[in-house]
Amino acid sequence: MPPHIHTPGGIGLPLTGSTAHGLVRPVFLCVVCLLAALLPAASSCPPPCLCYADGLVDCGGWGLSSLPPLHLLPPGSRSLLLANNKLASLGASAFANLSSLEELDLSNNYLDNLPAGLFRDMSNLTRLTLHNNSLTVTDRELFQGLGGLQRLDLSLNGLSSVPLGLLDELQGLRWLSLAGNRLHGLERAAFEPLANLQHLELGHNPWECDCNLRDFKHWMEWLLYRGGKVDAVECTLPKDLRGRDIRGVPVEMFNYCLQLEDENGGGGEGSRPGHGGVPPCSRNAVGPSGATPVSDNRNSGDDSSSNTGGGGGGGGGDAPTDCVRSRYRPVSVRRAIGTVVIAGVVCGIVCIMMVAAAAYGCIYASLMAKYQRELKKRQPLMGDGEADVEDREEKQISSVA
């Protein structure tokens, strides 16, 4: 039987084939349009990740050995979690065109070598986690372009050193962890660009508290002086300092380092700019205090070869590969030295005045002693004159009588 439709009056009228076809077509078109609108939204999340409305993309814990198709990330994604996978290597353009990301978590993977400029396009990144990987060395241009980074976690890796220039562009960094690595010592110049650093974790490293760590100890004291926090830096060597925190080791225990520097002609190769045939780096960056420049050899490598002989154009900012970074002295240290000099001058003047007062006292005492001696010599003479006067008076009285 043909379908019926009910009129408002309750009378059923038969529905012809043309009328039914005319009603089905609009419904079908509406369903197709709805699916077309939903399909792009569903396919904009890279499999097997989970995408959330707040901009979080969670790709962690899937055992991934390669990155998911990141070009499918939803527009405006803010956090990308790639933790707890099996990532061993990343291409130089792995994170290209991801400027919207503010957080990147690569912890608990097998990353052992990251290419230079890997994060160059992530200009808005504020938090980078590389915790518990297999990093043993890092390229000095690895963090290029991360001027807004505020938190960096490099803990539980195999790092044995922090190369000069690695942290030069991280002027906004506030929190840094290097705990649980294989660090024996650190270069002070590598950390001087971190003008805004407030928290530094260095625990669980085999520190050798010798002359190589002396300058970094001074930098840590400067960081603590301006309100920063540093966790325990326990010495492993030498044996007499094993287990002690280097922050509590008196600076006088490093005085022998100055003698060694003098004996070795300035503390070894490259310890002083301009000595040993090695030129100093160019000084075109601003130091932590904002007043004293810091050496900048970020652009050595390939760029230095192009600027050789030309002076680097008009800026002169590129440094040769074999240059030596000059040691920076923060304002607090320079003021402390000035205070010591002024205090020494004042103390010298006071000492001279005390010596003069002592000399004056000795001279005055000797003069008084001499005066007392002369006074005692005159007293007997005065006594003889009085006796003669008394004899004359007695004679006159007797004559009158």
Side-chain angles (χ1 to χ4, degrees), residues 2-3 15-23:
L15 186 63
T16 63
S18 60
T19 305
H21 182 71
L23 292 176

Side-chain angles (χ1 to χ4, degrees), residues 125-128 146-153 167 169-178 191 193-201 219 223 226-231:
L125 198 67
T126 60
R127 180 173 182 144
L128 176 59
L146 296 182
L149 193 67
Q150 298 182 6
R151 186 181 180 96
L152 176 61
D153 191 350
L167 307 174
E169 295 195 20
L170 306 183
Q171 289 88 359
L173 196 66
R174 296 178 177 272
W175 191 96
L176 174 62
S177 178
L178 293 169
F191 290 82
L194 305 180
N196 295 310
L197 191 65
Q198 297 178 354
H199 187 93
L200 178 61
E201 293 186 357
W219 181 85
L223 176 62
R226 62 183 180 90
K229 295 182 180 179
V230 183
D231 65 344

Side-chain angles (χ1 to χ4, degrees), residues 265 270-281 322-326:
S271 61
R272 293 181 183 177
H275 289 71
V278 183
C281 296
D322 56 350
C323 67
V324 178
R325 181 184 292 272
S326 304

Side-chain angles (χ1 to χ4, degrees), residues 9-34:
I11 302 174
L13 298 175
L15 186 63
T16 63
S18 60
T19 305
H21 182 71
L23 292 176
V24 171
R25 179 177 295 179
V27 174
F28 178 76
L29 291 176
C30 292
V31 172
V32 171
C33 293
L34 181 61

